[in-house]
Amino acid sequence: MNKALLTKVLIDLNAKFADPNEDFEKSFQTNYEEILNLLSCSSDDILRRLTTFAEMLDLKKHTCESKFISLNFYLLELLNEVLSKSDMEVLSVQEMKNIKAALKSLMLHGILKKLQPKLPHRVVTHKSVENIEAVDDIFYNYTLLKCTVLGFYNCIKHPNLRMLIIPHFLQEILVAVYQIGYCPLKKPENTSDTIFFMTEETYTKLTQDQKLFKELLENLGQSIHPTIFIKETMILFQANAPVWFKRAIANTLTKKMRSKKGVQHIASAMLDGSDDDTTKTWKILDILTKLILSCRTFPDFSDNICAQVLNLLNLTKTTSREMMIFERLVVSCTKCLYSEDKELCKVVFVERITTPLLQFVNKEHKFRDHCDITDDIKHTVRLLYGCFADNSVNSPCLPINLLRIFLNVMFYFYHLTVKSTFQSTNMELRELLIKYLQGRTTSEYHELLDNFLFGFTVTDIRQIRNDVIIKVEEKIVIENSSQSIIYATAEVIDTVYNLLDTGQKIILFGYLLKCITDKEKYFLAPHNSTELLANEDHATSTVLERLLTIHKLLSQLSENKDVQRSLWKKPDDIIEYINNVLFCGTKDSQLIFVVVMILDNLVSNSSASAIPKYKILIEPLSTVAQETKEVELKSLCNKIIIRLKEDKLQTPKHEKEITEFEQALEDVSDPLLPTRGHGLLVLSKLIENKDKQTLERKQYLLNLFQLHLKDDDSFIYLNAVQGLASLADIFPDTTLEILCEEYTDFSKKNDAIQETRIKLGEALVRVVKLLGEMAPKYKSLLLNTFLFATKDDDHLIRASSLSNLGEVCRVLNYKLGSIVTEVLVCVHAIITTDKAVEARRAAVTVIRQLFVGLQSEMIAFLKDEILPIYRSLKEVYYHDKDDVMRLQAQLALEELNENMKNIVFPNPQLHLEKKIIMMD
């Protein structure tokens, strides 16, 4: 028989059995006999062929249902034989659909109706018997269920039928297997008073069946992909299911987890289809973590379960979605385990996560030359950040002190990635370092600064190895070096400065002054006789480098406004440091001069309440003034002494009430971009509001706004344009003249100047819009400016000028007078001769705008120029290669045609005029 006939028989058989009626048994028996005749077999032949249905031969009754199920499996066996004979025999899509329908019917009658109450997928029909009284019925249903499961299990072994069963019916098969293999059995009884009693023979047989189906479940777990098997099993775990059923599923999942790659398979099954960062994903990760930690009672928890979790890290060095989720699972397990068993977590998880950092402090580890360590570094930093700094999950972070040993390595990689493309890694390292710095004492800060700035050895912090070079460009590459690498202090000062907050920078200020006083530690001079020349040179350069570093940092700190404000309010620590420097009797006059200058700045800006604290410095300042031979230093010391002795002190600058204009000017000079932009915006508002103090500085503000037009940032640029527009509204003559002269200046030729000219052109157009009705007064100046710029060598300047020209014409309401001819000739010449497509596009756009604006007055203004323009536009429309040019030409021609129609065929207007005659 062929597959088409067998498929048709399956369809007919299940169609007849689908909707039983009063004469069902008679009609089914007739259909059953017809199929047997077609297949040339008997009922006994079917049961003998199906070894799984052998027990049906021992039953006293062989019902329509059992015949239907056995015949279905017999047909499936025949179908598999046909498909196995040749690789060319395959099922069509429709045939597969029909067979799935047959399998669904078979599943319904052979399994779903036979399941116990409260089990998943159980189907209750009008023929279901809830209170079974007949022993024969109990064993009949049990036998039919067992035979059907075994029949499906045999079909799964056939590749041709496997893919029709596993994706659609695996859950139902597993429920039946769990019922037969794990449902509690009633103990054997000696009395037969009840309707059903358990005999020794029956109990032994059922026990053997349980053992068989437990093995069958094990075989299914091994033959089906672990992720699929686990996912389908977990779905069956329902709250209202029987206790024995849930316990059996839990035992299965536990065995799977303890098997090879079990944790990975369970994680993959639970996370299948989940996005990388959703509430659902985080909940699943939380459940997974609890499931993993629930295995702590097992003796192999550390060696097996924890090892499996850590093996997930070998899969997470890529950035794929699943791998990143595995990484989060490891982080979650680490955090939760630390809260329950700190020592185990340190030994198992923390050591594994931090192990990659050891290779940068341990010279015994050998790197392959030019080794790419990008993925390793990003992966390790992500783990460290997740475990020690990320508070986005409920579990508390690990103590940051556990990373103390690796502070040097983290700081060095943070320094290397500051200006690199690895901004995510840099941000995570920054958060780790900031968290470690929080809450440290002053002495601890000094230790860390010794380490970061000058490379001094600090207890419990490993120094980064000096036999390798780490390069950060597009990738992070490590190279071996035959010579010892010396890390320059000057390279890291900006990194340290930007890492610290304001309070920490105050400590840094005091630390630098402390460095000045402790020369033996920071500026040790070389020994001339006992050391080699090379060592002398190295020591000398090191001393100079440290001096430069200290001076540069002091300069940065003295210019920092937040630091200044903090020092003005709480100068106690700095006063102590300055006092130590002045009393140390150093002969370095330059160093003393720097310290006295800092003191002068502090005293000049301190509040009246803080000045008495500085009077302790009068005595050392007097000593310095008497002993120094430098006139400037002596004068500065005396100046500070006089100021400190005065009863009435001048109000410091920062305590004076400054006007809004002064504050805006101060903001414009701020290093932070948003503050500068805000300052420009405030100045514009003050001009619009005609602030008296602001208007007095109009020329200064004009220059200021012009200067900021050269800024690359759009926020600064737009606020500068707004400022110029505000000035032009009040002083249009001066402002427009200066802007136009700047715009037409051809003397400088570079990209920056050209870009600024384009911005100036936009500013001019904006000014014209704001002038409104006053704009025609400056018509000649504006049009000549933009027409002149159309001759520029830069094609972008020409295009910008033409666009601005069209916009000015629109604002002037196209009342250009005789200049319109000059504009038209210029634009037409650019269309026909210019080689730059940007300029030609802009020129066609201007012509179209003129046609739109002039309308019926077009003939009067353009006269003889219309025909050549028309021909040029037609030429562009039909032959130009640029689609944008052709589109603009088409729009211009349409406007021209519409204007000509209105001129030749004007719309008649009805003049409604009524005469009223008053009669006397």
Side-chain angles (χ1 to χ4, degrees):
M1 298 184 70
N2 57 41
K3 64 182 179 67
L5 182 58
L6 289 172
T7 304
K8 184 177 183 305
V9 172
L10 269 172
I11 297 170
D12 293 341
L13 174 63
N14 285 278
K16 292 288 178 71
F17 201 80
D19 188 20
N21 48 50
E22 294 180 359
D23 299 327
F24 166 71
E25 291 189 6
K26 181 178 180 181
S27 62
F28 174 78
Q29 188 63 33
T30 302
N31 186 40
Y32 183 72
E33 295 296 337
E34 291 175 355
I35 295 175
L36 292 182
N37 291 333
L38 181 63
L39 300 176
S40 300
C41 66
S42 65
S43 178
D44 292 337
D45 293 335
I46 292 174
L47 294 177
R48 279 193 292 270
R49 179 182 175 94
L50 300 175
T51 56
T52 56
F53 279 78
E55 293 191 26
M56 300 299 295
L57 297 172
D58 300 331
L59 290 176
K60 297 179 181 179
K61 59 179 182 178
H62 194 30
T63 64
C64 294
E65 195 173 31
S66 63
K67 291 178 182 179
F68 164 76
I69 294 172
S70 59
L71 182 56
N72 264 288
F73 281 116
Y74 183 70
L75 290 170
L76 289 171
E77 289 287 339
L78 294 179
L79 181 62
N80 178 64
E81 284 184 2
V82 173
L83 295 174
S84 301
K85 288 180 181 179
S86 173
D87 294 337
M88 301 301 293
E89 288 286 348
V90 292
L91 295 170
S92 66
V93 175
Q94 186 59 45
E95 288 172 339
M96 291 176 67
K97 184 177 179 181
N98 293 334
I99 293 173
K100 286 178 187 176
L103 291 171
K104 185 176 181 181
S105 175
L106 181 59
M107 177 64 67
L108 173 66
H109 296 286
I111 292 181
L112 302 186
K113 289 183 178 181
K114 312 303 178 189
L115 295 175
Q116 289 187 1
K118 295 186 178 181
L119 287 180
H121 299 292
R122 179 175 184 256
V123 174
V124 180
T125 64
H126 64 282
K127 294 182 68 178
S128 298
V129 180
E130 296 297 333
N131 298 313
I132 300 176
E133 297 181 355
V135 176
D136 291 342
D137 287 341
I138 295 175
F139 280 103
Y140 169 77
N141 287 334
Y142 171 80
T143 303
L144 198 60
L145 175 66
K146 183 176 70 172
C147 292
T148 306
V149 173
L150 292 173
F152 272 108
Y153 179 68
N154 285 334
C155 289
I156 290 174
K157 295 178 181 178
H158 304 314
N160 296 310
L161 302 176
R162 180 184 179 89
M163 296 310 298
L164 297 173
I165 299 174
I166 295 295
H168 307 286
F169 306 107
L170 179 58
Q171 289 184 32
E172 293 84 345
I173 294 172
L174 288 175
V175 174
V177 172
Y178 276 114
Q179 175 176 320
I180 299 172
Y182 289 92
C183 183
L185 298 176
K186 187 178 181 181
K187 297 296 182 181
E189 298 175 327
N190 296 324
T191 64
S192 58
D193 296 338
T194 58
I195 296 175
F196 171 76
F197 67 96
M198 180 70 74
T199 64
E200 288 287 347
E201 181 183 359
T202 303
Y203 184 81
T204 302
K205 182 177 182 301
L206 293 177
T207 304
Q208 291 174 348
D209 286 345
Q210 281 192 334
K211 182 178 179 182
L212 172 67
F213 273 75
K214 287 177 181 178
E215 293 176 357
L216 188 148
L217 180 64
E218 187 72 22
N219 293 334
L220 282 174
Q222 294 176 359
S223 61
I224 298 172
H225 191 283
T227 302
I228 297 175
F229 180 81
I230 291 170
K231 183 178 180 180
E232 299 297 310
T233 302
M234 295 181 79
I235 293 174
L236 300 177
F237 196 94
Q238 299 178 4
N240 61 344
V243 176
W244 63 264
F245 182 76
K246 292 189 286 187
R247 186 180 295 117
I249 290 178
N251 290 336
T252 301
L253 294 175
T254 302
K255 288 180 181 178
K256 279 294 179 183
M257 179 173 286
R258 299 178 70 181
S259 64
K260 186 178 180 181
K261 294 186 178 180
V263 173
Q264 179 183 341
H265 293 147
I266 287 180
S268 298
M270 293 183 69
L271 292 165
D272 184 37
S274 300
D275 292 330
D276 183 28
D277 195 11
T278 61
T279 304
K280 179 182 177 182
T281 303
W282 286 109
K283 287 182 180 178
I284 293 173
L285 286 175
D286 187 45
I287 294 171
L288 270 169
T289 302
K290 292 178 181 177
L291 188 62
I292 291 169
L293 294 184
S294 67
C295 299
R296 286 182 59 211
T297 55
F298 299 143
D300 63 342
F301 174 70
S302 177
D303 297 332
N304 182 13
I305 303 299
C306 291
Q308 286 194 55
V309 173
L310 291 173
N311 283 337
L312 295 177
L313 295 179
N314 298 326
L315 307 173
T316 60
K317 292 183 182 179
T318 62
T319 55
S320 64
R321 182 191 62 81
E322 184 179 13
M323 299 303 102
M324 293 294 287
I325 296 179
F326 282 170
E327 192 174 280
R328 294 184 182 186
L329 176 60
V330 176
V331 169
S332 178
C333 289
T334 304
K335 287 183 172 182
C336 290
L337 182 59
Y338 189 85
S339 62
E340 297 182 10
D341 192 336
K342 293 180 174 58
E343 293 304 318
L344 179 61
C345 182
K346 289 179 184 177
V347 173
V348 177
F349 284 96
V350 177
E351 285 189 6
R352 166 62 182 84
I353 292 171
T354 58
T355 294
L357 299 180
L358 285 173
Q359 60 189 351
F360 301 104
V361 297
N362 188 358
K363 291 185 178 181
E364 294 180 0
H365 177 83
K366 300 299 180 183
F367 284 103
R368 179 171 49 85
D369 208 16
H370 301 288
C371 177
D372 182 0
I373 58 172
T374 306
D375 290 337
D376 291 334
I377 294 299
K378 292 170 67 176
H379 167 66
T380 301
V381 172
R382 284 198 306 268
L383 287 173
L384 293 176
Y385 176 77
C387 292
F388 293 91
D390 188 4
N391 295 313
S392 60
V393 293
N394 295 329
S395 302
C397 294
L398 274 62
I400 195 68
N401 283 335
L402 295 176
L403 295 180
R404 177 177 172 84
I405 187 176
F406 301 110
L407 277 179
N408 256 327
V409 179
M410 293 192 297
F411 175 77
Y412 188 64
F413 276 103
Y414 167 69
H415 166 66
L416 291 176
T417 56
V418 166
K419 295 181 181 179
S420 70
T421 57
F422 305 103
Q423 289 306 301
S424 176
T425 301
N426 181 264
M427 180 275 295
E428 290 164 346
L429 286 168
R430 178 182 175 85
E431 291 295 323
L432 289 166
L433 291 169
I434 288 175
K435 185 170 182 180
Y436 185 86
L437 291 173
Q438 289 173 349
R440 301 290 154 186
T441 63
T442 302
S443 60
E444 288 176 327
Y445 271 116
H446 287 187
E447 274 192 341
L448 293 174
L449 291 170
D450 281 344
N451 185 34
F452 293 156
L453 286 175
F454 305 123
F456 290 166
T457 303
V458 179
T459 306
D460 297 335
I461 300 180
R462 297 283 297 273
Q463 294 296 105
I464 193 164
R465 56 194 293 185
N466 61 355
D467 61 338
V468 292
I469 302 172
I470 302 172
K471 296 182 178 179
V472 178
E473 294 175 355
E474 294 182 359
K475 296 181 179 179
I476 304 176
V477 179
I478 192 164
E479 298 178 0
N480 295 307
S481 175
S482 58
Q483 299 177 346
S484 295
I485 307 300
I486 300 173
Y487 298 105
T489 302
E491 295 178 357
V492 299
I493 57 173
D494 289 333
T495 305
V496 172
Y497 180 82
N498 293 324
L499 183 63
L500 304 179
D501 60 26
T502 302
Q504 294 163 352
K505 285 175 181 174
I506 300 298
I507 297 175
L508 174 62
F509 200 101
Y511 166 80
L512 296 175
L513 294 176
K514 173 179 171 288
C515 291
I516 294 173
T517 60
D518 195 351
K519 285 191 172 184
E520 291 186 0
K521 181 176 181 180
Y522 298 98
F523 311 110
L524 185 63
H527 300 289
N528 296 328
S529 59
T530 59
E531 295 185 359
L532 296 175
L533 182 61
N535 287 339
E536 284 189 32
D537 293 340
H538 169 61
T540 303
S541 63
T542 301
V543 169
L544 290 174
E545 183 185 357
R546 289 176 183 172
L547 279 171
L548 290 172
T549 300
I550 289 174
H551 280 87
K552 182 174 181 179
L553 272 176
L554 282 172
S555 175
Q556 285 180 289
L557 289 167
S558 62
E559 293 174 0
N560 187 294
K561 293 182 179 179
D562 293 331
V563 173
Q564 289 174 358
R565 293 188 187 100
S566 298
L567 289 175
W568 293 334
K569 294 177 182 178
K570 297 180 179 179
D572 303 77
D573 292 337
I574 301 304
I575 291 173
E576 181 182 351
Y577 286 125
I578 292 176
N579 191 31
N580 292 335
V581 174
L582 296 177
F583 263 121
C584 72
T586 178
K587 295 180 181 180
D588 190 343
S589 59
Q590 185 177 3
L591 215 52
I592 293 292
F593 197 85
V594 171
V595 173
V596 173
M597 285 182 64
I598 293 171
L599 177 60
D600 179 55
N601 181 274
L602 290 173
V603 172
S604 300
N605 294 281
S606 290
S607 61
S609 59
I611 286 295
K613 298 178 181 179
Y614 287 94
K615 292 190 176 184
I616 192 176
L617 300 176
I618 292 177
E619 183 181 348
L621 282 171
S622 300
T623 304
V624 171
Q626 291 173 4
E627 294 179 355
T628 185
K629 295 180 182 180
E630 296 188 11
V631 179
E632 292 182 2
L633 179 57
K634 181 178 291 190
S635 173
L636 188 58
C637 289
N638 292 328
K639 174 186 172 185
I640 297 172
I641 292 170
I642 293 171
R643 191 176 300 162
L644 291 176
K645 289 181 177 180
E646 288 178 352
D647 293 332
K648 295 181 179 179
L649 293 166
Q650 192 176 13
T651 305
K653 294 178 183 177
H654 68 282
E655 289 188 355
K656 292 180 181 178
E657 292 186 4
I658 61 174
T659 63
E660 189 175 6
F661 173 73
E662 291 172 338
Q663 182 62 50
L665 286 181
E666 185 177 340
D667 289 343
V668 171
S669 303
D670 196 278
L672 294 177
L673 186 146
T675 307
R676 294 202 308 274
H678 176 72
L680 293 172
L681 183 62
V682 172
L683 289 174
S684 301
K685 297 296 183 184
L686 290 172
I687 294 170
E688 291 174 1
N689 296 332
K690 296 180 173 55
D691 180 74
K692 182 179 179 181
Q693 186 182 9
T694 306
L695 296 181
E696 289 175 356
R697 303 286 298 277
K698 59 184 179 181
Q699 190 64 43
Y700 173 79
L701 293 177
L702 179 62
N703 295 332
L704 183 68
F705 289 133
Q706 280 183 270
L707 178 64
H708 282 84
L709 277 176
K710 300 177 183 179
D711 198 291
D712 293 333
D713 189 82
S714 59
F715 181 57
I716 300 293
Y717 159 65
L718 291 174
N719 284 325
V721 171
Q722 176 66 36
L724 286 170
S726 302
L727 279 175
D729 188 36
I730 301 172
F731 312 108
D733 296 338
T734 305
T735 306
L736 281 177
E737 185 177 351
I738 292 174
L739 290 177
C740 289
E741 286 180 2
E742 184 74 17
Y743 186 72
T744 54
D745 183 10
F746 284 34
S747 59
K748 298 178 181 179
K749 294 290 181 181
N750 58 58
D751 293 341
I753 294 297
Q754 301 298 68
E755 186 177 353
T756 303
R757 288 181 62 198
I758 292 175
K759 294 177 181 179
L760 280 168
E762 295 177 16
L764 279 169
V765 172
R766 185 163 183 167
V767 167
V768 173
K769 291 180 180 178
L770 290 173
L771 288 174
E773 296 180 356
M774 289 180 61
K777 177 183 176 182
Y778 308 99
K779 175 178 63 177
S780 299
L781 175 63
L782 293 168
L783 292 177
N784 289 330
T785 297
F786 291 123
L787 285 172
F788 185 64
T790 58
K791 302 175 183 178
D792 195 275
D793 295 336
D794 192 304
H795 65 283
L796 293 178
I797 293 293
R798 296 199 300 274
S800 174
S801 301
L802 287 165
S803 298
N804 295 335
L805 185 64
E807 192 64 26
V808 169
C809 291
R810 187 185 65 78
V811 173
L812 295 173
N813 203 19
Y814 301 99
K815 300 185 183 301
L816 308 181
S818 59
I819 302 180
V820 69
T821 304
E822 186 178 346
V823 171
L824 202 63
V825 170
C826 175
V827 173
H828 184 220
I830 290 175
I831 294 175
T832 55
T833 61
D834 204 304
K835 295 181 180 180
V837 67
E838 292 86 357
R840 294 171 62 239
R841 288 176 182 173
V844 176
T845 304
V846 172
I847 286 183
R848 181 174 63 83
Q849 288 177 314
L850 287 173
F851 287 162
V852 172
L854 294 174
Q855 295 182 356
S856 59
E857 297 179 356
M858 183 180 66
I859 293 292
F861 281 103
L862 303 185
K863 299 179 182 178
D864 299 335
E865 283 78 15
I866 292 181
L867 182 58
I869 290 174
Y870 175 76
R871 289 172 178 170
S872 297
L873 291 175
K874 295 287 280 187
E875 178 69 19
V876 169
Y877 178 70
Y878 285 111
H879 300 103
D880 201 282
K881 296 180 180 179
D882 185 66
D883 292 337
V884 178
M885 280 286 295
R886 295 174 60 195
L887 176 61
Q888 293 292 344
Q890 180 186 357
L891 295 174
L893 287 170
E894 290 177 357
E895 290 294 338
L896 178 59
N897 291 336
E898 188 66 27
N899 289 347
M900 293 304 297
K901 286 181 182 178
N902 292 335
I903 292 170
V904 177
F905 305 106
N907 294 327
Q909 295 182 356
L910 180 62
H911 296 281
L912 295 176
E913 185 178 343
K914 295 182 180 179
K915 292 183 179 181
I916 301 175
I917 301 173
M918 300 295 294
M919 301 292 292
D920 291 334

